[in-house]
Amino acid sequence: HLLRNAGDEVTVTVQYLREAPSFLKLPLGSPGPSSDHSSGASSPLFDSGLHLNGNSTNTAPSSPSSPIANEPKYEKRWLDTLSVPLSMARISRYKAGTDKSRSNAFEVLALDGVSTGILQFYTAQESADWLRAISTNISDLTLQNMKMANKCCSPSDQVIHMGWVNERLEGTDSSQPYKFKFLALKGSSFYIFSTPPVSTLDWVRAEKIYNLCEVLFKIHKLWLADDCWLQANLYLGIHQDFDLEDQRPYCFSVMVGHGKSHYFNVELGNELAVWEKSFQRAIFLEVQRTGSKTYMCSWQGDVLCFTVDFALGFTCFDSKTKNVLWRFKFSQLKGSSDDGKTRVKLLFQNLDTKQIETKELEFQDLTAVLHCIHSFIAAKVASVDPVFIDSQSIARKYMYSN
C-alpha cells in the first residue's frame, strides 16, 4: 500500500535487526518476537525457501554483512506446497465425465482423496516419464502392502495382485462412464472394492466377490499407439465382440457367472500385461489347490453331479446312488457347444472305438461351469508346458515393451 501511494521516487533504508535470525526460523505465518519489526508477519526469506543454517562452514550464500562475527549463513531448501502419499494412490489421465485423455497431463489422487490437481507438462515425453515414474513408485508400495498382508494370511489365502482400475458403468445415460475401482486377487477369490482394504475386516466388505475358478479374463482393447488400433486388431486376432464407442485404449473384462461381466480400463499398457499374468497365476494356483469342482446338473429328468477334476478330468455320476455314469480325460474333450442359457453339449472321443460321444447336460449357471472347465484345462496345459501360456499372452507380447 505504501509503495503504491508513494509517488515516482521511493527511498528504502536497510538496517540490521538483531532479532532477524530467530524471526526467520519461525514457520510461515507464525508470530515473531515481541518487536515492532516482526509483529505477526511471515518472513520473505522463508517464503522464498531461504533458511538459516547455524553451520558457519556452509558454502551457501551468506547473509548481508553484519557486525556480529560468525553470522549464520543462508541455504536453499525444498518447501512442500503439497504432499500426496503414494501408498494406494491412483493416477488419472482422463477428463472427468469423459473418455478423452488429457494432453501431456495427469492427476494423482491419494487414498484419502487428496489430489495433486492437474499436473501439466511441456512435452508428451516429459509427461510419460513422470507418469511412468509415479506409477512404478505406486506399484512398489502396493507390493510392500501385499507382503505385509500376506504375513497375516495362510499360504492358501495369499494376495497375488491388487490395484486401481476404472470400471465402465452400465448404461449410456451416465454422466460419468467410468468409475474408480480397486481389484484384488486373493486366495480363492476375485474382489472388487470401491476403496482399498486397509485392514483384515475390510476384505469381507467388498462390493463383489467371485470364485477364481469361475471367472474368465479377456483382453478387449490393445492400442499400440493413437493411430494403430486397427492394425493391432487385424494382425493380433483379437475377437471384436465389444463396444468400441469409448476412446480408452487398455481395456479388459472379467466375465463371471450368469453371463455377466465387468469391463475395466487401466492407464498404462504394462498394467494390462500385469493383470493378465496375475489372473492366470491366481486361477492356476486356485485350480491346483482346489483339485476338483462339482456342480449339480440334470438331463432328461435325472439329477446328476458333474465333476471337473485336475487329475481325472470329467466325471458324471448319479446324485443319489453315486454311481459313475461316464468319465473322460481332458485330452478326450474334442469340442463343445451350448445354447447360451442352460444346456451344453460336450463331445468326447472314446479311446477304444475312436468314436465321438455326445453328452448333454443342463446347469443352473452354465457360464460358471464353462469358465471352470476353461480354468482347469488352462491350468492343465500350464502344468505341462508353462511356456505355452506366456506365448499366448497378447498383452505381454505386444504391450509390455511399449
Side-chain angles (χ1 to χ4, degrees):
H1 177 74
L2 290 173
L3 289 173
R4 191 182 302 115
N5 297 283
D8 296 334
E9 188 174 327
V10 177
T11 300
V12 179
T13 302
V14 180
Q15 182 179 0
Y16 174 72
L17 181 66
R18 186 178 297 275
E19 290 83 1
S22 60
F23 170 66
L24 291 173
K25 288 182 180 180
L26 292 175
L28 186 61
S30 298
S34 55
S35 169
D36 293 339
H37 299 282
S38 57
S39 56
S42 63
S43 164
L45 288 177
F46 188 93
D47 294 344
S48 65
L50 287 171
H51 290 253
L52 284 174
N53 189 336
N55 187 358
S56 59
T57 61
N58 197 306
T59 58
S62 61
S63 61
S65 59
S66 101
I68 299 180
N70 298 325
E71 175 96 11
K73 311 210 175 195
Y74 294 108
E75 67 175 1
K76 189 77 175 177
R77 296 181 186 175
W78 289 98
L79 290 180
D80 294 336
T81 302
L82 179 67
S83 178
V84 177
L86 292 182
S87 179
M88 297 293 193
R90 59 189 188 269
I91 298 174
S92 177
R93 292 185 295 168
Y94 295 92
K95 298 178 182 179
T98 71
D99 289 319
K100 296 181 179 180
S101 178
R102 296 186 178 95
S103 177
N104 303 346
F106 60 86
E107 179 182 13
V108 182
L109 297 100
L111 176 61
D112 58 1
V114 174
S115 170
T116 58
I118 308 303
L119 304 176
Q120 185 75 44
F121 299 89
Y122 288 105
T123 65
Q125 184 61 48
E126 187 179 10
S127 176
D129 291 343
W130 274 104
L131 181 66
R132 191 178 297 109
I134 295 175
S135 177
T136 300
N137 196 307
I138 293 174
S139 298
D140 292 343
L141 292 172
T142 301
L143 183 60
Q144 293 180 19
N145 291 330
M146 286 168 48
K147 290 180 178 179
M148 292 179 60
N150 286 337
K151 290 180 180 180
C152 305
C153 301
S154 64
S156 63
D157 198 31
Q158 297 285 292
V159 180
I160 301 299
H161 187 59
M162 60 183 184
W164 286 101
V165 299
N166 297 290
E167 182 177 14
R168 188 170 69 177
L169 304 178
E170 295 182 0
T172 57
D173 297 334
S174 175
S175 59
Q176 187 176 2
Y178 280 85
K179 188 174 183 180
F180 277 113
K181 297 291 183 180
F182 192 85
L183 308 185
L185 304 173
K186 181 176 183 289
S188 62
S189 302
F190 164 51
Y191 296 83
I192 301 178
F193 297 90
S194 58
T195 57
V198 294
S199 67
T200 305
L201 295 177
D202 289 339
W203 288 96
V204 299
R205 298 170 184 165
E207 291 183 353
K208 301 286 184 181
I209 302 177
Y210 300 103
N211 185 278
L212 280 170
C213 290
E214 298 177 351
V215 302
L216 183 64
F217 178 93
K218 186 175 182 181
I219 290 178
H220 277 317
K221 279 193 179 180
L222 188 63
W223 285 6
L224 308 186
D226 292 340
D227 56 352
C228 66
W229 157 246
L230 180 61
Q231 180 182 355
N233 185 49
L234 291 176
Y235 289 96
L236 304 185
I238 304 175
H239 186 48
Q240 186 174 354
D241 59 351
F242 47 86
D243 183 12
L244 282 176
E245 290 182 359
D246 63 86
Q247 300 298 313
R248 301 196 177 203
Y250 311 119
C251 301
F252 67 91
S253 69
V254 180
M255 290 177 268
V256 296
H258 297 288
K260 298 180 180 180
S261 65
H262 296 272
Y263 188 91
F264 302 108
N265 154 262
V266 290
E267 298 286 338
L268 301 173
N270 67 316
E271 292 181 276
L272 189 64
V274 170
W275 276 113
E276 182 187 30
K277 185 65 175 179
S278 298
F279 264 93
Q280 288 178 351
R281 182 177 173 225
I283 291 173
F284 296 165
L285 289 174
E286 178 55 21
V287 167
Q288 293 175 348
R289 277 195 301 263
T290 303
S292 66
K293 292 279 288 185
T294 299
Y295 297 92
M296 298 294 295
C297 61
S298 63
W299 181 245
Q300 296 179 344
D302 296 328
V303 180
L304 309 175
C305 291
F306 176 76
T307 298
V308 186
D309 189 280
F310 188 72
L312 301 177
F314 306 97
T315 303
C316 188
F317 57 91
D318 188 280
S319 62
K320 296 180 181 178
T321 64
K322 307 301 180 183
N323 293 330
V324 176
L325 304 178
W326 48 263
R327 174 176 288 142
F328 295 98
K329 297 179 180 179
F330 287 111
S331 59
Q332 292 179 265
L333 180 64
K334 300 303 178 181
S336 65
S337 61
D338 63 87
D339 62 358
K341 299 178 182 178
T342 61
R343 185 175 299 183
V344 63
K345 290 182 180 181
L346 301 174
L347 307 179
F348 297 101
Q349 184 180 46
N350 190 299
L351 295 179
D352 298 327
T353 64
K354 304 301 180 182
Q355 299 296 314
I356 298 297
E357 298 183 16
T358 302
K359 305 298 181 182
E360 296 189 39
L361 300 170
E362 290 187 10
F363 296 90
Q364 185 176 3
D365 188 354
L366 177 61
T367 307
V369 177
L370 295 179
H371 291 170
C372 181
I373 294 174
H374 179 276
S375 297
F376 271 74
I377 292 178
K380 195 70 175 180
V381 172
S383 66
V384 176
D385 185 11
V387 179
F388 174 78
I389 298 299
D390 282 341
S391 68
Q392 300 304 302
S393 172
I394 296 175
R396 285 176 65 82
K397 185 182 297 183
Y398 294 97
M399 296 301 301
Y400 198 81
S401 61
N402 191 44

